Amino acid sequence: MSKEGFYKLEFAGASGVGIGVIVLDTNMVVGCDVGGVVYDGSYERNERTDQLDLKLTLTVPPGMGLVTGVPARDKAHSFWVRTSIPRDFEGTQIFDADTQFGPVRFRIAKIRDFPN
């Protein structure tokens, strides 16, 4: 699996919007958003679709509500996100992600490649 790069993430749900950054590095995904939610997971190239299939666990800090409408909690909690994106895209397309708390629409744009 290749090192894909660094990406800006803009997302929206039923109750809000947010921004963050993710890094795709040799089958691993790491990232965070401005609300303090931490993203950890993996990706793999789907041979059938030629897309990158992402499987993420998002860890939400205490006191942070979600764009899906889930209110803030007193303790940190985690949830999953599954989605697929093409390897090559313009950064203007809107994608959908399913979460256990409802759908999220997002736009992802490459910020930079890894240095040589």
Side-chain angles (χ1 to χ4, degrees):
M1 185 52 64
S2 65
K3 292 177 173 282
E4 298 295 329
F6 295 74
Y7 297 84
K8 176 179 72 170
L9 186 63
E10 300 171 290
F11 52 92
S15 295
V17 298
I19 58 172
V21 64
I22 62 171
V23 178
L24 280 64
D25 180 5
T26 318
N27 211 34
M28 178 177 59
V29 179
V30 295
C32 59
D33 65 35
V34 296
V37 177
V38 175
Y39 309 164
D40 294 295
S42 63
Y43 71 95
E44 62 184 13
R45 182 174 167 263
N46 184 319
E47 297 288 332
R48 186 177 52 79
T49 65
D50 198 33
Q51 292 195 357
L52 300 178
D53 293 339
L54 285 73
K55 298 176 183 177
L56 305 172
T57 299
L58 279 62
T59 303
V60 183
M64 177 55 59
L66 300 177
V67 298
T68 57
V70 173
R73 298 183 181 178
D74 293 337
K75 295 182 180 179
H77 64 100
S78 297
F79 68 99
W80 54 263
V81 175
R82 305 287 185 265
T83 193
S84 297
I85 59 172
R87 282 193 74 190
D88 298 312
F89 53 89
E90 299 172 8
T92 58
Q93 298 155 287
I94 303 294
F95 301 102
D96 294 309
D98 292 323
T99 80
Q100 65 200 66
F101 298 122
V104 174
R105 303 201 82 198
F106 68 97
R107 180 177 19 235
I108 184 169
K110 193 167 205 175
I111 299 169
R112 67 169 289 186
D113 289 318
F114 284 92
N116 291 328

